[in-house]
Amino acid sequence: MNNSPRAVIADDEAHLRDYLEQQLAAVWPELRVVGRAANGLEALRLIDDEAPDVVFLDIRMPGLTGLDVAARLIDSPAPPQIVFVTAYDQYAVQAFEHSALDYLLKPASLERLSKTVGKLKAALATPVAAAPPMDALRVLLAQLGGPAALSTPAPAPAPLQWIRASQGEQTRLIAVDEVLYFQSNDKYTSVMLADGECLIRTPISKLREQLDAQQFWQIHRSVIVAARHVAGTRHDFRGRLMVQLKDRTEQLVVSRNYADLFRQM
């Protein structure tokens, strides 16, 4: 098994992705770049699929910015180390100089990148220290003008019991106990039931906050499954972990970030 550290690079400019990868190869040859993204959405998908140890995020990208991506990673079960790479904001540079995270100005020199790599190696070598300092990241993202949702979250309300969903021309009131799983689409979230499919407008990230985490497991950034409907797991020919459902034929992909849920099964 290859235990080399793994990284994803996200930047909307291809030549800058190439440059950073070449610089990293010079100062950290054992690092494996397992994915390159041209925008924030691609970055999230790659992070879900590859569960890298480190993510190098350009701040200004189309779709989702690097700050948006970082905000969505904060509450992940095993968030990677995050290094911002940008050409802007000297104030943030000063802030990051005092943080375990880091912030690189483009184009990063070998000397500066070597310092970043030293910090990352130290963090990855010590399990306790390996977890990104999320409080510090929240503060830094706020300083950078990141999503307002990064402020300290309010206490969670009681778990959701009912959902109002659309099915064709009909609006249904559905008990969450009836739901097999939720799946995010472009503009809607599909509610999969034994007797069909309904749609709601609530994003799956918000839905997760409202559901009982003991009863509903997020297995992918776009899928939350009802635990009592899980029959088991298997690996497909690509080595991906798949959830099999009771009395259903479809199988659901488990991203690497959520695979630990099934280690004991």
Side-chain angles (χ1 to χ4, degrees), residues 47-67:
I47 293 165
D48 268 347
D49 291 345
E50 301 294 342
D53 303 292
V54 183
V55 179
F56 294 89
L57 289 175
D58 182 19
I59 287 186
R60 294 194 177 184
M61 292 188 290
L64 296 175
T65 69
L67 302 179

Side-chain angles (χ1 to χ4, degrees), residues 192-212:
M192 308 304 294
L193 307 164
D195 63 350
E197 175 182 351
C198 298
L199 297 174
I200 57 176
R201 291 182 178 274
T202 307
I204 207 160
S205 58
K206 294 294 182 185
L207 195 60
R208 184 189 63 179
E209 298 170 0
Q210 299 173 31
L211 294 169
D212 184 342

